[in-house]
Amino acid sequence: MQRLFFVRHGMTEFNLANRVQGGDIDSPLLPQSLEDAKKTGQHLKQYNLKQIIASPQERVVETTRLITSQFEQDFKVQYTDDLKEFGYGSWEGAFIPHWQKTSPDTFYNLRQRPDLYDPSSFKGETYQELIARGSRAILRSIEQFPDHDLLFVGHSITWTATLLSLIGTDLKELRSKEPLANTSISELGYENGQFTLNKWNQINHLL
C-alpha cells in the first residue's frame, strides 16, 4: 500500500489574528511554527520520503523548507497551484468575526454545510472546485510516483475537503471532522485505486 502523508503549514500571523487566509494571500510564520516544522521533519524523516508535492504559497514553501531541512535522504520538491488554499475572493484578509457577523448564513454554510455554500457574490471558490483541483494534484502525483510514499504540504481546508472526498465522504459532511492543526500530519493509504484514511490530525510529534 502506498502511503500519502499530508502536512498543514505552520501557524502564521494571520492565523493568530483570526483573519481569512486563502489562496491569494500570505502572512509570515510565527517563531514557534519554525520549530514545529522542524519537529515535523524529524518525525517524517523515518519514512525516507523522496518526493514532496506542495502548494507554492509562501507559508507552505517555508514550512516545506524547514521540514526537509531535517531529512538525510535526497529528495525533490514540486510545487503546484492545484494545492493552493481555498479561494475566498474579496473576503481574503478579512477579520473572520466580521465575516461571521455580516454574512452569517454564508459563513455557517462554509463551516457546517459545504453542500449549501455559495461564494459567488464575493467571487470565491466552491467546494466542488477545490476538491477537483486538489484531487487532480494527488492523483497526478500517484501516477507520476507509483512506487514511492509521498509527502504533500499544504493547507487546512484543501486537505480537509480533498482527503475526505477521496475516501468517499459526502459533500455535506466534509467539515464533520476536527479541524487540522498547524503542522499536523494526516495520512491516506492508496491501493488498487482505493483510498483509506489511516491517520487524521496527528500532533504528537509536536509535544
Side-chain angles (χ1 to χ4, degrees):
M1 177 178 288
Q2 189 175 22
R3 301 175 73 178
L4 313 174
F5 298 89
F6 298 85
V7 175
R8 184 188 177 191
H9 63 79
M11 182 175 285
T12 69
E13 292 178 0
F14 269 28
N15 290 146
L16 186 63
N18 208 14
R19 291 192 174 277
V20 178
Q21 190 174 227
D24 292 319
I25 201 168
D26 258 310
S27 67
L29 296 181
L30 299 174
Q32 181 60 50
S33 296
L34 308 182
E35 296 306 314
D36 288 346
K38 291 177 183 178
K39 289 180 181 179
T40 304
Q42 281 288 323
H43 175 79
L44 288 171
K45 73 177 184 179
Q46 66 184 298
Y47 300 109
N48 197 35
L49 298 161
K50 297 180 180 180
Q51 302 294 338
I52 298 95
I53 305 92
S55 162
Q57 292 183 256
E58 186 56 37
R59 57 192 184 272
V60 173
V61 172
E62 181 66 0
T63 301
T64 302
R65 184 187 69 79
L66 292 165
I67 289 172
T68 56
S69 73
Q70 305 303 301
F71 288 1
E72 297 172 355
Q73 74 275 15
D74 292 333
F75 60 87
K76 293 182 179 179
V77 182
Q78 294 184 2
Y79 295 98
T80 172
D81 285 350
D82 282 340
L83 294 182
K84 293 175 73 172
E85 180 59 301
F86 207 7
Y88 297 105
S90 59
W91 280 110
E92 300 258 341
F95 189 45
I96 291 176
H98 177 65
W99 185 4
Q100 187 174 14
K101 182 178 180 180
T102 56
S103 302
D105 292 341
T106 301
F107 191 83
Y108 176 85
N109 291 337
L110 169 67
R111 294 285 182 90
Q112 304 295 334
R113 288 296 302 270
D115 55 317
L116 301 178
Y117 178 64
D118 180 7
S120 57
S121 63
F122 48 92
K123 298 182 179 179
E125 186 175 25
T126 66
Y127 273 96
Q128 293 91 333
E129 290 168 336
L130 174 64
I131 291 165
R133 62 176 172 83
S135 299
R136 181 170 62 236
I138 293 169
L139 291 169
R140 183 173 61 234
S141 299
I142 290 171
E143 182 178 1
Q144 187 176 4
F145 307 111
D147 301 321
H148 296 273
D149 293 337
L150 305 176
L151 171 61
F152 298 84
V153 188
H155 307 269
S156 176
I157 309 306
T158 302
W159 291 155
T160 296
T162 305
L163 271 57
L164 295 185
S165 177
L166 287 173
I167 65 169
T169 305
D170 190 80
L171 179 62
K172 68 180 181 181
E173 301 294 334
L174 287 183
R175 298 297 296 269
S176 59
K177 281 192 170 293
E178 63 181 349
L180 294 176
N182 293 99
T183 50
S184 63
I185 301 171
S186 298
E187 181 189 330
L188 293 183
Y190 180 77
E191 189 172 31
N192 298 324
Q194 298 295 316
F195 291 92
T196 54
L197 181 62
N198 296 340
K199 296 179 182 179
W200 182 260
N201 196 35
Q202 298 296 297
I203 57 171
N204 289 342
H205 60 284
L206 302 177
L207 302 178

